[in-house]
Amino acid sequence: MKKIISLLGILMFVISCNGQGKESYWKGQEVTKESKEPFHGVTLAYMEMIAEMRIHLSKNDDSLVFTYPYEKKIKVSELKSLTGCRLKDGGKLLDSVYDVRVEGDQLKIKFYYIGTASKDNRFSLNLVRTDKASYIKETEILKNEKKRVLEMIKPADVSGLGVSISIPEYFKPDININLLNPIQLAEDLCQVKGIQTLSSSESFKVGQEKYNYRQYELVNADQVSRIAARIGTIDFPTFKLVTNQDGSRTDAWMVGRERSDKKTIQSIFRSIQSKYPNADIIAIGAPEIAQTKDDVVGIASTFGVTMTNSNEIIRILISIPEELYGIKQEATGSKEVAKAFEYYISLIGTAEIQVKVISKKLNDLLNAKNFSGDRPYFLSEE
């Protein structure tokens, strides 16, 4: 009898251990609102972002192992957020998990989203079960694709300073550059400096004529130890591009960096002057309007010059640093504007700089009286 009882005890222990050790595999499918109400605007975009993170995880009792888009092992009770992004003011999580449970054939991660205007801010990421073999295969494919896109990012050479440049491989319609940062909307809402990407197809009309184009962005590439573009020996972590619909022609581009010293800015300006010695130069804005930091925010944040030749329009924009608050330099005519700009640069410690090049044809279309539709984002910021 004692042997039988002992064997039963061992058997129950083995069964218990096997039950506790059983692992299930899940992948994200959709996000729903707990109240079943529809959601719109930024809330819709945020929930689409959560779904498009393509979260893959395994569950074993009270533990979760995330394999994609990030790798992390955590207890269910310790899962506080899907993105980990906190608002700059107050530090509250943008999305905060309050429950994780299996309901039928779904694993539901329920969370609050404080960015919605609705009274009910409860949402659920619904994951569906998959088998281990499929799970491993899918996550490997996703990881390898992300790695492939990252390895594509090599400095685009825009040293020629003309509108016609080679389109980098990562700015091609068939490349999903957004894989590099699936939570960029959350980071943007929380003012987190992460890598930002864009790949979209847009259009506008001039009269009844429709024009299709594509726009691409790679911002803060330094956050993944990459250089987006280069002018000579000067590196830029931000690169934006506008092409025609099929990507066979460049119509505009922009490079930018947050901190540039006066020598770097002078070098860029003189390179453009050397490339286009007969360009017409006019001033964009003036530092004199800013007396304090509050004025920069309230009135204007940048100044610079526009240089125009027969084929291109080149703009150099500089953030207004404190060294230039209230400084006025009178200038009329291309030569005097260039001298005034050089004078402003000579007073700068460091400043953010942007260089934009746009084809004259596209610029004329965007400024036509009968224009309607969407302008490329970085060309409508001025």
Side-chain angles (χ1 to χ4, degrees):
M1 179 62 72
K2 288 183 179 179
K3 287 184 178 180
I4 293 173
I5 292 173
S6 179
L7 287 170
L8 285 172
I10 294 171
L11 181 61
M12 291 299 291
F13 176 77
V14 171
I15 292 172
S16 174
C17 288
N18 286 341
Q20 288 177 355
K22 189 175 182 181
E23 198 165 19
S24 53
Y25 299 87
W26 306 85
K27 60 180 180 178
Q29 184 180 53
E30 62 176 351
V31 176
T32 55
K33 194 170 185 178
E34 288 295 276
S35 65
K36 309 302 180 185
E37 296 174 353
F39 36 91
H40 311 280
V42 177
T43 299
L44 174 60
Y46 195 89
M47 300 312 153
E48 288 177 341
M49 178 202 75
I50 294 289
E52 289 169 6
M53 286 172 69
R54 302 187 72 174
I55 289 176
H56 282 64
L57 62 85
S58 60
K59 185 177 185 300
N60 191 337
D61 289 334
D62 65 344
S63 294
L64 299 174
V65 179
F66 288 81
T67 308
Y68 189 85
Y70 45 79
E71 295 184 4
K72 178 171 65 174
K73 183 176 182 179
I74 191 171
K75 289 184 177 179
V76 172
S77 60
E78 295 173 348
L79 182 62
K80 303 302 181 185
S81 173
L82 293 167
T83 65
C85 290
R86 296 180 179 273
L87 292 175
K88 191 172 183 180
D89 297 328
K92 290 184 178 180
L93 284 166
L94 199 52
D95 60 86
S96 52
V97 174
Y98 66 87
D99 190 23
V100 179
R101 65 175 63 185
V102 176
E103 293 184 3
D105 60 351
Q106 291 186 329
L107 172 64
K108 295 197 171 189
I109 300 178
K110 300 185 179 185
F111 61 94
Y112 299 112
Y113 171 60
I114 64 173
T116 182
S118 174
K119 290 182 179 179
D120 188 350
N121 66 347
R122 298 172 302 152
F123 296 83
S124 175
L125 169 62
N126 305 320
L127 300 97
V128 295
R129 192 186 295 267
T130 183
D131 62 89
K132 184 176 181 178
S134 297
Y135 179 88
I136 293 173
K137 182 178 180 181
E138 286 180 19
T139 53
E140 283 302 307
I141 290 172
L142 288 168
K143 287 180 181 179
N144 288 335
E145 180 61 16
K146 185 175 182 178
K147 181 181 178 182
R148 187 174 78 91
V149 174
L150 184 61
E151 290 175 346
M152 287 181 185
I153 300 179
K154 295 178 175 61
D157 188 358
V158 294
S159 303
L161 296 167
V163 72
S164 297
I165 60 172
S166 298
I167 301 171
E169 188 179 8
Y170 56 84
F171 280 167
K172 295 292 177 68
D174 59 333
I175 300 300
N176 183 11
I177 193 172
N178 294 329
L179 283 174
L180 297 177
N181 184 7
I183 63 166
Q184 57 183 313
L185 174 58
E187 289 186 344
D188 196 34
L189 293 170
C190 293
Q191 301 177 54
V192 174
K193 184 186 175 181
I195 185 172
Q196 298 279 311
T197 61
L198 172 70
S199 174
S200 66
S201 183
E202 310 290 348
S203 66
F204 62 82
K205 281 187 175 182
V206 176
Q208 297 302 310
E209 189 76 21
K210 186 177 182 180
Y211 297 88
N212 299 309
Y213 65 93
R214 291 193 64 86
Q215 57 183 350
Y216 303 92
E217 294 186 8
L218 176 58
V219 180
N220 301 329
D222 53 328
Q223 296 299 301
V224 290
S225 303
R226 291 294 189 277
I227 298 165
R230 182 174 285 154
I231 296 177
T233 60
I234 302 167
D235 296 335
F236 295 86
T238 291
F239 183 36
K240 303 181 181 183
L241 194 69
V242 175
T243 73
N244 60 342
Q245 182 65 16
D246 64 8
S248 62
R249 182 189 69 243
T250 307
D251 287 324
W253 57 264
M254 171 266 197
V255 293
R257 52 187 274 172
E258 286 189 359
R259 294 180 65 83
S260 297
D261 58 31
K262 68 180 71 177
K263 288 184 179 180
T264 299
I265 298 172
Q266 286 170 338
S267 174
I268 292 170
F269 181 49
R270 290 168 184 172
S271 293
I272 296 173
Q273 280 187 302
S274 176
K275 170 80 174 179
Y276 303 112
N278 299 317
D280 293 326
I281 307 175
I282 61 172
I284 306 172
E288 65 180 280
I289 59 176
Q291 301 295 327
T292 68
K293 198 169 186 177
D294 291 336
D295 294 332
V296 173
V297 174
I299 301 174
S301 61
T302 60
F303 76 102
V305 293
T306 294
M307 307 172 72
T308 305
N309 64 31
S310 57
N311 297 314
E312 290 111 345
I313 294 172
I314 305 97
R315 295 187 179 97
I316 303 177
L317 293 170
I318 300 173
S319 62
I320 302 176
E322 290 185 14
E323 297 94 328
L324 298 184
Y325 289 175
I327 293 178
K328 183 177 182 180
Q329 189 77 4
E330 295 288 354
T332 56
S334 293
K335 290 184 178 179
E336 288 192 12
V337 170
K339 286 181 180 179
F341 189 59
E342 286 264 20
Y343 173 71
Y344 289 135
I345 295 172
S346 71
L347 302 178
I348 290 173
T350 61
E352 179 180 355
I353 183 172
Q354 297 178 357
V355 179
K356 303 182 182 184
V357 178
I358 177 174
S359 70
K360 200 166 185 303
K361 181 179 179 180
L362 177 58
N363 188 71
D364 290 344
L365 289 171
L366 296 178
N367 290 285
K369 289 183 178 180
N370 50 354
F371 173 92
S372 62
D374 297 318
R375 285 179 170 81
Y377 178 70
F378 70 86
L379 297 176
S380 60
E381 292 175 327
E382 301 164 16

